[in-house]
Amino acid sequence: MTTTQAALRPRALPEGFVYLADIDPTILSEVRYAGCHNFVGRPVPGYNAPVILMTEAAALALKAVQAEIAPYNLTLKVYDAYRPQEAVDSWVRWAEDQSDHLMKAEFYPEVNKKDLFELGFIGKRSSHTRGSTVDLTLVPLPVPPQPSWKPGDPLVSGKLPKGQRFADNAIDMGTGFDFFGDESHPQNEALPLEARCNRLLLQTLMAKHGFRGITTEWWHFTLIEEPYPDTYFNFPVE
């Protein structure tokens, strides 16, 4: 094996964890925390590569969801799954730094970031760190183009209507991913009917295949029968 081949070889994962692409390569990913288009505006510690890691049990459940929606010309797109504790700890420090509001205009324009823990959008302990939680959406097939965001690009509120907020190639879920506000609550009745129906579709599919959602984020689901319900991991995403 050459040095280059060794460098590109996937890391050995803890028992029970897999690369989602090895289980179902048809599932799309957009790993926001490995880049700069996220609520802190920079790569998050612990995310060393734009890959999705999760428990095998959760990955197999997603594969079943993907198989069900494929005949309807839809695909899953995953933003995040396993999250190192190192990343969670970095967000605690970020929330305490009141001088850093780099991405406020898009992701949390109407809340003080120090309140994000109390509001339920981020936590000092995250179910993601147990490996069986996923943030995701639905994308039509054939896959529409996905614009790239670069540091310095204009920021607009993630609660604006589709076509006015940052372009996402997903079906309309009413807000952008990781918008921290009431508009992201799955049962928000003030949203347009299309977005509410799209959220209901996602929730129904995920529940059918063993996941439960939360009350604050339409994109967030945890496998009910997760294999490590009491273990918070801290190995890097690479």
Side-chain angles (χ1 to χ4, degrees):
M1 179 181 296
T2 67
T3 301
T4 300
Q5 289 172 326
L8 294 175
R9 186 178 182 183
R11 64 170 282 125
L13 300 177
E15 182 178 357
F17 278 79
V18 296
Y19 289 90
L20 178 58
D22 288 343
I23 301 298
D24 192 333
T26 71
I27 297 176
L28 304 179
S29 65
E30 185 185 341
V31 189
R32 291 283 189 93
Y33 302 139
C36 295
H37 192 207
N38 56 60
F39 63 87
V40 299
R42 53 187 174 269
V44 176
Y47 286 84
N48 300 337
V51 294
I52 296 294
L53 306 180
M54 61 198 323
T55 63
E56 183 175 18
L60 290 172
L62 287 189
K63 181 180 177 70
V65 177
Q66 183 79 339
E68 180 162 349
I69 64 177
Y72 299 93
N73 292 325
L74 290 170
T75 178
L76 296 173
K77 180 169 79 169
V78 177
Y79 296 109
D80 191 35
Y82 163 71
R83 179 182 303 161
Q85 184 63 40
E86 176 186 7
V88 177
D89 294 342
S90 76
W91 290 346
V92 174
R93 296 189 296 271
W94 168 83
E96 294 171 347
D97 180 4
Q98 288 297 305
S99 68
D100 182 356
H101 295 285
L102 180 63
M103 303 297 284
K104 181 178 177 68
E106 179 171 350
F107 293 97
Y108 55 104
E110 298 173 358
V111 299
N112 189 316
K113 68 178 189 176
K114 70 178 178 62
D115 297 327
L116 292 175
F117 295 97
E118 182 179 348
L119 293 171
F121 289 108
I122 55 177
K124 297 181 180 180
R125 283 285 185 95
S126 171
S127 59
H128 281 276
T129 309
R130 304 195 298 263
S132 296
T133 292
V134 61
D135 294 339
L136 80 176
T137 189
L138 296 168
V139 172
L141 295 173
V143 179
Q146 173 59 60
S148 297
W149 185 90
K150 304 179 298 298
D153 284 352
L155 296 174
V156 295
S157 173
K159 77 170 187 178
L160 289 176
K162 189 174 179 67
Q164 297 181 36
R165 63 182 183 262
F166 182 80
D168 190 302
N169 61 0
I171 63 176
D172 186 12
M173 292 293 181
T175 73
F177 168 64
D178 259 1
F179 179 77
F180 299 144
D182 291 348
E183 293 80 5
S184 291
H185 294 182
Q187 305 303 325
N188 189 310
E189 296 181 354
L191 296 172
L193 179 60
E194 179 182 358
R196 293 172 60 196
C197 290
N198 289 340
R199 289 183 181 188
L200 179 61
L201 173 61
L202 180 61
Q203 293 163 8
T204 302
L205 287 164
M206 296 299 285
K208 178 179 179 180
H209 292 280
F211 291 88
R212 64 173 177 271
I214 57 175
T215 60
T216 52
E217 299 173 346
W218 59 258
W219 54 82
H220 177 114
F221 298 90
T222 298
L223 188 68
I224 295 172
E225 298 295 331
E226 58 181 313
Y228 303 111
D230 302 310
T231 304
Y232 293 83
F233 294 88
N234 195 30
F235 60 91
V237 176
E238 59 185 16

